Structure formats: structure tokens, C-alpha cells
Amino acid sequence: MRVSPLRGHAHPDGVRAEAPPAGPAPHLGEESLRILVGTEGDSLLLMDINTTETEASEPWDYVLVADRCTQRNPRQVQRQQQFLEELERKGFCYKAREDQEKVFFGIRADNRVFDRYRRLLMEPEATAPRGELAGPTSIPATTRIRIVNFVLNSKMAAGDTLQDLVKDGVFEAGFPLHKGEEDLKKKWARWRNMFQQQPIGDIRNYFGEKVALYFAWLGWYTYMLVPAAVVGLIIFLSGFAHFEASQISREICEAHDVYMCPRGDHNPRYQRLSETCAFAKLTHLFDNEGTVLFAMFMALWATVFLELWKRERARVVLQWDLYGWDEDQEEMALGLIACPDYQPRLHQHSYMRSTVILLLSLLMICLMIGMAHVLVIYRVLAAALFSSAFPFLGEQVTTAVVVTGALVHYVSILVMTKINKYVALKLCDFEKPRTFSERESKFTIKFFTLQFFAHFSSLIYIAFILGRINGNPGKSVRLAGLWKLEECHLSGCMMDLFVQMAIIMGLKQTLSNCMEYLGPWLAHKCRSMRATSQDPELRHWQRNYRLNPVNTFSLFGEFMEMMIQYGFTTVFVAAFPLAPLLALFSNLAEIRLDAIKMVRLQRRLVPRKAKDIGTWLLVLEIIGMLAVIANGMVIAFTSEFIPRVVYKYRYGPCRQGAHPAVDCLTGYVNHSLSVFYTKDFQNPVEIEGSENVTECRYRDYGAAQNSNFTEQSWFLLAIRLAFLILFEHVALCVKLIAAWFVPDVRQSVKNEVLKKKHQRLGEAGLPGPGVGPGPESRSTRDSGPRAQTWSGPRAGQEAKTQSCCHHHHPPQPWLCVCVGGL
């Protein structure tokens, strides 16, 4: 018996429905069901219909939920009934169950629904032979849900889709049910399985290829982080090996008679260079000779990672038999099945729309850059405020400003993420993409671009601008003529960059992950505290409804989070060698967090087919290119690597040759600090200790008389630019060679695809090599098991085809097949 709502008030057996008794609705048992029918009043009538055990045991594909308040609105009820009746005409059966607050509609597709989608069931995921319709029991659950979801979101006769009805409040939600997830809970969505291999095949069978490819990529990315984390840790620990042996650190720690010029208004005193001894040693941990090698290694690692992922992706997709699957073709197939008059939207381009989108995108990027300037203003004002409000901080004011600046930047990232998502959606809709996949691709590019500037704008400022526009000690650049711009730490800007990256990345990987898990967990626990029905079926529907809702951007958000993390791991990794190690630990937890969320805390995602990770692969390649440029610039302009090399071979004691008894960097600290005479300060009396200091030093290569750039500073700038060009070209060449050396697709996969093509051509009935003109070959071909006797018009067509083949010189068997198949 198919269960469906009744039109009007009449019972199928001629018995009129009666209004339910007053008072709260009772909980219904498994053998009783209440059907909503339209009324002329303000409320619905409910019919009790007995169901059979067969119907109660059959699975429901989808559940629609409506609030009981909407059932008092005749207009809402009418639209609800029209939608359900249209589903009935399309071959769906449904029944309604209610509790104290909601009305649930179980939706199940009849077998004849899937008859219309023969094209989908011929896809490789079906278990039936190619070209034959699979039985209803052999249809994978992911295919059933995809087809039902497509029908529900197709325009009905009234012009509404399920999304339109949800938006208008006719239905509150619609979602597929979690069924058979116990195996995934045991093998995957548990913390104890953190170091076990993911069951990608089971994930695919439950959530579809899109989700399975995300977890396959995330697992591969985590696996490939192991060598990067090990090398980064070795580079970091190598600094510890020279923690006390560094010549530069020793000179700084022993410079008791060298005074540094005041760096800001918050601490107007001359500071001994030896007071920065601890920071100098810490800076050497991540600014040493291994930094360049690690940056080169990460450029090579990023390329090898992408190439090996392409190979892994090809292997996985070949196992799923989706290597030649085409998403656009499937979308057109679905459209034709739903509507015989379906016409695909043609590609179109508007220069006006593109210009507007470009200008608006540039405006948003300028806003991101403006946010970086706001952070600059904050740090300047915070330095003045902290020095007056917390005088006990002393020299730690700069550290406090850097730390709080990173926290402010993190909060701004959270705010701008929501704004960027809204703007990217509006820009994407304005562009009018042709298909959903094209819309998703365009949205990905726009959203990632805005997010990249939101996350990395302050890092770009610290790495390449901080301390370079401040002027000299005698004539400082001031904000609004009042506050002096901040400068890098006395040990260099690498220290500030390291602190900024460590705080932001640490918060992103810890606090964000905790909120990402605790938020859905607490929300689910609160909703689960409500009373549930005694009916097992209704209780199952309630349990799924009370899970956290999902949408088309649920998986998108997980991808975006990983892309930003990948950017932190590669773009400025020269300043933070521990970034891969931190990412590795984070990903081990991220995989299980996402698994637990999808299986235990969220409603079931609608499965989607996919044969790759889509536009995200392009994003990864763009990040790889940016990483080469950014790391080259960090080494050239932020790190002290170039000045040390130049001093070693041009100005140091080893310029004529190495001396075993002398360190080649002896005297580097004195060489790299410029001299400024204290009498040239505008207000020297206000500076503490000015009566005992006649000259101070600052980090630059300026002349002592006028602080102008010296010949040495121009020579150093030329070497920096030459190194940047050389580094980027070498790194890019290494990337290209690695991409060529590691094929995108394994030879075994290519050979398997070749064999399948050959097999399909053979199954299509292509004649063998012995077929040719003449009676012998004709009889040989017709005597096999594929021989057929044609009569009528087909016989004439066959004769014409064979005549065409026999009179073609040289004979072309493929021509017979092509013409005969028309």
C-alpha cells in the first residue's frame, strides 16, 4: 500500500475524516499513522491509517519537516499539499508523523522513479551490467539520495522547489536520513582510530565521491607533511646546536658598551645592545644558514606533493570507475530526464559584468590592506598606552604589542571571513554562472582571494614594510605627527614575523578546531534533551532532525580551512620552520573531528559525484607559486642571511681567504649597525641617560653625518635583488623539473584505462581484423553469436551499409559500424 495524503476530506473508502480531539497530540505507535489533509478552516484534520509491517520496514529516502504553527495557515498548507501531490504524481510515496512541535513527512521514491533515471543507473557505481537497468535493491544509497534530492529541488508544476518552500517557511528543513553509519562510527569516527588508515571506500559508499575525495586528499596531505615536519624540526634544532656558539650572538651578548638609539616614544632611553642577548639567540633558531635550504626544500615539497596527489587521485578514481565521468554531461542528463524540453544554458560573457566584478574585488582587497593599516595604527597606539598604563613592563612593551596585535588580527580574520563569504556569493551571483559546478568554482576563487589577503596582510606588512619607512633616529616618521611608527625588534624583523605566525597559526589550529567541534556538540546536546517519541521510526526522524543542519558550503568550509593552513605551511615557512610540524598535529585531529561531525553531529550530506577536488587543485598550485616568491623575499629582505654572506666574503676577515683561528663573521655586529650622534636629536635632554652617551647605534647602513644611504647599502640592495631573482628562478626550475619527473598519472592507471577502452569497443560490436569484403568474411561474421537477421527497413539499411563498406577502397570496417548504428 502506498501511503499518501488524501485530497479534500474524503477517505479512500468513502469515510469522512473527523477532526482530532482537543488537547495535545498523542504519540503514535508503529501501526498507526496520521495523515494531514487540507481543511477550509485554520487547522488541519488528521486521518489515522493503519500501516502494514512491510511499509514500516521499508527505508525512507528523505524527511521533510514543517512547524506545526505553519499548519494553521491555509496558504502554507495549500502550497505544502500541492508539493506533496506533485511528488505523488512523480512516483513518490510519503506519510506524515507528528510530535508536539513538528510535523515530519517521510519521502520514499517508488521503483518507477528510477526507471526514468536509467542514464544514471548505467553509471559504473551501479552493480547491474552496463546498459541494463538495475533492480531497486541494487541501487546504491548514494544514488538514491542524489536522485531524490534532484527531484525535490527541481521546479514543480506550481513553480516551486524544495529550496523555495524552505525559504518561504512552508517546510522548515529537508534532509536524507542517516542509515547504516554504525560501521563508520566504529572504524573511522573515533579518536582511538587517529593513527589508522581511513576507510575511503566506505566513506564513498556512504557520503559520495565528493566527501571521500576530500578525506583522501586530507589524509594524503597529512601523510606528506611528515617529511616536511621532520626537516623543519631538524632546521630548528640545528639552531639549538649553535645556540651558544653563534659568533653574532656572542658579540651581541658581550656588547656592554654599545648603546642602541631609542626605538619609540614609549621607552625614551638608550638601551645596551647586550640586553638583547636572549632575543638574539632565539632569532638564530629560525634565521640561520639552514633557512635557505629549508625554503628550497619546501618549494620542491609543494610540487612533489601535488604531483603525487594527482597520481593518487587517478588511482582512486580509476577504482571507482569514474575516470571518464563528466559532471556537465550528468547535469544535462538530469535536466533532460526532468524536462524533455530542457535546454542547457549557453556560455556567455559580459565585459561590463567582468569589469564591475574586478573593480569590486579590488575594492575588497584594498579593504583587506586597509585592515593591515588599522593594525599598524593599533600597534602604535598600544605601544603608547602600554608604556603609560603599565610602566613595569619596561622593555617588554614591544613584545606585548606584538602579541596583542596578533590577537586583534585573529579577531579581525573571524569578522572578515563572514563579510568575505557574503561578498563572494553576491559577486558570484552577479556573474551569472551557467551551472552549479561553475558557480562553485567561481565562488571558490573569489572567496579564497579575499581570505588570503585577510589572513596574510599583516604578515606581509611585518615581513616587508615594518621598520623600513620609519626614517632615521633624528627625523622619525610619525603617525598624524604625534606617534612614532613602530620598528622591528632589536634582534631583527624575523623575530616579529615568527611571533605573528606562531600566534595566528596556533590560534587557528587550536581555538578554531575547538570551537568547530564544541559548537556543534553543545548545540546537538541541547536539542537532544527534548522529549522523543516512543515510536522507533518517529524517534529516528527526530534524532536526525535534531542533528546540526548542513548546506552546500559545509564541505566547502572544510576545504577552505585546509587551504589557509596550507598557505601558512608554505608561504612564510622560511620564518617559521615549525609550521609543518604544527600542521601535522593539527591534521591528525582535524580528520577525526570532521569524521565525528559528519557521522555523529551533523545531518547527512547529500552525496555528490566527483573525480577530483576541482578548483582547489588550482588554488594549491597558486599557493605553491606564492610560496616561492614570498620565501625568496623573506630570505632576501627580512632575514639577515644576505648581509651575513656579503660581509663574510667582502668585508669580513675571511675576504682574502679563510682563517682557521678566526670566525668569518667576527665584527659583523659592529659593521651592520649605523652610528648616530646624540647631539643631532631634536630633544636630547628628554632621553634618559643622554648626558653619558655621545653616539648610539641603529640597524641600518646609513652615513653617520646625515644618515643617507651609503655605497655599501646600495651594493647590499643589489645583492638582495640578484638573490631574489636567482632564488625564484632556481626554485621554479626545480618545481618544473619535479613536475616533469613525476608523472601526474601512473603508467598502470593509464594502461588500465587503455584496456577498458579496448574492452568497451569490443563490447560495442566492432568487427575483428579478419572482416572484409567478400562472401567468406561476411559468412564468418554472421555465423557468430552476434549474428542477427534483419527484415523491413532495417534490412535495407544493413544492405546499404554493407555495400558502402565493400565498395570503399581500402575497406573500412569502422564505416560499417558507424553507418549501421545510426
Side-chain angles (χ1 to χ4, degrees), residues 286-490:
F286 44 83
D287 186 11
N288 50 61
E289 287 72 15
T291 302
V292 180
L293 297 178
F294 185 60
M296 289 288 294
F297 170 80
M298 289 303 295
L300 177 62
W301 175 88
T303 302
V304 174
F305 160 67
L306 287 181
E307 297 303 315
L308 292 181
W309 160 247
K310 294 174 185 176
R311 291 164 61 88
E312 179 68 11
R313 193 272 319 171
R315 183 191 65 82
V316 172
V317 172
L318 180 65
Q319 288 181 350
W320 297 344
D321 205 3
L322 289 178
Y323 199 83
W325 174 78
D326 184 81
E327 186 172 6
D328 285 341
Q329 183 178 344
E330 179 170 290
E331 288 191 18
M332 286 188 286
L334 287 169
L336 287 170
I337 294 171
C339 178
D341 299 329
Y342 166 81
Q343 292 294 331
R345 292 184 60 181
L346 301 179
H347 294 278
Q348 54 180 334
H349 180 265
S350 171
Y351 287 103
M352 179 61 69
R353 278 201 303 268
S354 299
T355 302
V356 173
I357 291 173
L358 178 61
L359 293 177
L360 291 178
S361 300
L362 292 176
L363 181 63
M364 284 298 300
I365 292 175
C366 291
L367 177 62
M368 300 297 113
I369 298 175
M371 291 295 296
H373 287 81
V374 171
L375 292 175
V376 173
I377 296 175
Y378 164 80
R379 291 170 65 144
V380 172
L381 297 179
L385 178 64
F386 289 173
S387 60
S388 59
F390 308 104
F392 58 87
L393 289 177
E395 289 302 317
Q396 305 305 319
V397 167
T398 301
T399 304
V401 168
V402 172
V403 172
T404 56
L407 294 175
V408 171
H409 183 210
Y410 176 74
V411 174
S412 69
I413 287 173
L414 298 180
V415 175
M416 293 307 301
T417 295
K418 298 186 178 298
I419 297 176
N420 291 340
K421 183 177 181 179
Y422 176 81
V423 172
L425 276 174
K426 292 300 181 182
L427 291 178
C428 190
D429 293 337
F430 180 73
E431 197 170 1
K432 297 180 180 180
R434 189 178 64 88
T435 61
F436 176 79
S437 58
E438 183 177 338
R439 181 175 184 266
E440 188 178 41
S441 177
K442 293 180 180 296
F443 174 74
T444 299
I445 295 297
K446 293 178 177 60
F447 190 34
F448 172 77
T449 302
L450 298 179
Q451 285 293 90
F452 180 85
F453 280 95
H455 282 79
F456 292 95
S457 56
S458 67
L459 297 179
I460 294 173
Y461 166 76
I462 293 174
F464 310 122
I465 301 177
L466 178 63
R468 293 170 175 81
I469 57 174
N470 298 63
N472 56 65
K475 189 177 182 181
S476 302
V477 177
R478 293 182 175 271
L479 182 65
L482 300 175
W483 299 286
K484 186 177 180 181
L485 292 180
E486 63 175 336
E487 299 181 17
C488 294
H489 196 273
L490 288 177

Side-chain angles (χ1 to χ4, degrees), residues 523-598:
H524 175 243
K525 286 297 181 183
C526 292
R527 287 192 292 265
S528 300
M529 295 173 63
R530 302 175 184 174
T532 57
S533 172
Q534 298 299 323
D535 180 355
E537 184 176 65
L538 181 57
R539 185 167 63 249
H540 180 54
W541 294 0
Q542 290 174 330
R543 187 182 302 115
N544 278 264
Y545 167 71
R546 290 167 183 173
L547 294 173
N548 294 288
V550 295
N551 51 49
T552 55
F553 295 106
S554 296
L555 188 63
F556 180 91
E558 305 297 341
F559 260 120
M560 178 60 71
E561 182 183 353
M562 288 296 101
M563 294 299 139
I564 296 298
Q565 186 212 77
Y566 183 77
F568 277 108
T569 306
T570 55
V571 174
F572 288 101
V573 72
F576 191 24
L578 295 179
L581 183 64
L582 184 59
L584 174 62
F585 291 147
S586 175
N587 284 4
L588 291 174
E590 180 73 23
I591 293 176
R592 301 306 153 184
L593 283 175
D594 291 344
I596 293 173
K597 281 194 311 179
M598 290 187 179

Side-chain angles (χ1 to χ4, degrees), residues 165-206:
L165 297 178
V166 171
K167 184 178 180 180
D168 296 340
V170 178
F171 293 106
E172 184 178 329
F175 49 86
L177 291 169
H178 277 289
K179 293 178 292 186
E181 73 277 15
E182 289 77 15
D183 195 36
L184 281 178
K185 288 182 179 179
K186 293 178 181 179
K187 297 193 301 185
W188 184 47
R190 302 174 73 175
W191 288 108
R192 67 181 64 177
N193 301 329
M194 179 178 292
F195 298 101
Q196 296 182 8
Q197 188 174 5
Q198 299 184 86
I200 299 299
D202 295 339
I203 299 172
R204 179 234 180 178
N205 294 333
Y206 192 82

